[in-house]
């Protein structure tokens, strides 16, 4: 583990297609697409996707460390990624995330916006399929891992769909929402299944639950105190209605928002890690110390809950200040 194999790329189209597709199931996609839907498409769509994504990913990550099914052997498989190689394989959380995000987006928008349902269905299928195939191409999962991940995600979507509106209503109106949104994920992170060796699954799970917790608190605050709401009338998904003005506003919202989100992440990483280093007496560059439970969980959770809160509260206020509402 940790030693990349040498390989020769014979087909650059497949290589870059599936390397890009693999990125669609990672942090770079989550931190751009999910906020984009909140800033430019619809608050309710974004809320539903973030909640589904948090639940699905938690179940997927925990399932890996309970089942403990190994990843494909290398050799004969050539692995193009090394960061997640220490994780177990079943189920593929890339497959779970891609299925959950693409189909929850389709379900949440199909009755609100005017676009051909068949087109949305094909787009969701192609998106999730590309991500699933990328896990086979990069050598990180077996066919069974990918199929299992997609099926688990599909079952969870079916089970959660009837409760979507109720969950959404409680998140927006319950006075206990902020407290539960922080306490429940923290309890789950601190009681994550223990392994005999270090794996990034706990850190990744804490990142996801932290981002979801911060965003959920932001949703509640926006509803309680009438924070800026984006006007959706000019941002329907009817492509012929898109004008240059709308495109400029959409891009401006996105780049301003991403700048704030990335700045928040970097600042909070430095501040939280510095405080924890002072508290537990370790240098910031000590990787082993940063992997300890009492450091890793608060470090990841506080950093990414700040990111989620910033994306849902700070960025909209800045958009209003800049005249981008």
């Amino acid at each position: 583990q940790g030693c990349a194999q040498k390989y020769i790329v014979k087909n650059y189209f497949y290589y870059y297609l599936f390397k890009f597709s693999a990125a669609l199931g990672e942090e770079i996609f989550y931190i751009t697409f999910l906020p984009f839907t909140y800033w430019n498409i619809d608050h309710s769509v974004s809320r539903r996707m973030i909640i589904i994504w948090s639940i699905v990913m938690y179940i997927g990550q925990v399932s890996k460390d309970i089942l403990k099914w190994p990843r494909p052997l290398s050799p004969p498989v050539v692995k193009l990624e090394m960061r997640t190689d220490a994780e177990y394989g079943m189920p593929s959380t890339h497959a779970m995330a891609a299925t959950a995000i693409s189909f929850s987006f389709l379900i949440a928008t199909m009755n609100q916006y005017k676009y051909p349902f068949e087109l949305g269905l094909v787009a969701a299928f192609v998106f999730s399929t590309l991500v699933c195939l990328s896990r086979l191409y990069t050598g990180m999962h077996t066919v069974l891992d990918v199929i299992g991940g997609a099926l688990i995600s599909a079952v969870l979507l079916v089970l959660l769909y009837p409760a979507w509106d109720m969950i959404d209503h409680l998140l927006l109106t319950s006075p206990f929402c902020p407290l539960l949104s922080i306490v429940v994920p923290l309890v789950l992170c601190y009681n994550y299944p223990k392994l005999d060796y270090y794996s990034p699954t706990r850190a990744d799970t804490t990142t996801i639950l932290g981002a979801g917790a911060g965003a959920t608190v932001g949703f509640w605050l926006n509803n309680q105190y009438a924070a800026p709401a984006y006007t959706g009338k000019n941002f329907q998904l009817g492509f012929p209605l898109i004008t240059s003005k709308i495109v400029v506003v959409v891009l401006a919202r996105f780049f301003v928002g991403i700048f704030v989100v990335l700045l928040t992440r970097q600042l909070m990483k430095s501040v939280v890690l510095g405080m924890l280093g002072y508290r537990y007496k370790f240098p910031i560059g000590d990787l082993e110390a940063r992997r300890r439970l009492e450091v890793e969980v608060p470090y990841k959770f506080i950093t990414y809950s700040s990111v989620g809160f910033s994306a849902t509260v700070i960025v909209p206020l800045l958009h209003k200040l800049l005249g981008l509402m």
Side-chain angles (χ1 to χ4, degrees), residues 67-80:
L67 293 174
K68 298 183 178 181
W69 287 20
R71 289 186 182 273
L73 292 177
S74 176
V77 168
V78 176
K79 295 184 178 180
L80 304 186

Side-chain angles (χ1 to χ4, degrees), residues 155-188:
V155 169
L156 289 172
L157 273 173
V158 171
L159 293 176
L160 291 170
Y161 176 70
W164 269 20
D165 291 337
M166 180 187 69
I167 294 172
D168 192 49
H169 178 73
L170 289 174
L171 289 179
L172 294 178
T173 60
S174 173
F176 303 105
C177 174
L179 178 63
L180 292 177
S181 296
I182 299 297
V183 172
V184 172
L186 271 177
V187 170
L188 294 176

Side-chain angles (χ1 to χ4, degrees), residues 224-282:
Q224 296 296 315
Y225 299 101
Y230 298 99
T231 55
K233 294 181 180 178
N234 295 324
F235 292 86
Q236 301 294 311
L237 298 183
F239 294 103
L241 298 178
I242 293 178
T243 65
S244 58
K245 180 181 178 181
I246 291 176
V247 171
V248 169
V249 172
V250 166
L251 291 177
R253 288 179 180 178
F254 177 72
F255 286 115
V256 168
I258 288 300
F259 174 78
V260 173
V261 164
L262 294 179
L263 180 62
T264 300
R265 183 179 67 167
Q266 191 58 42
L267 287 175
M268 293 306 297
K269 275 186 174 182
S270 300
V271 171
V272 175
L273 196 56
M275 293 175 65
L276 290 169
Y278 177 79
R279 168 66 177 83
Y280 293 106
K281 306 294 189 262
F282 68 87

Side-chain angles (χ1 to χ4, degrees), residues 181-204:
S181 296
I182 299 297
V183 172
V184 172
L186 271 177
V187 170
L188 294 176
C189 293
Y190 274 108
N191 290 277
Y192 192 82
K194 293 180 174 60
L195 298 177
D196 296 331
Y197 64 93
Y198 179 79
S199 165
T201 48
R202 185 181 64 201
D204 291 343

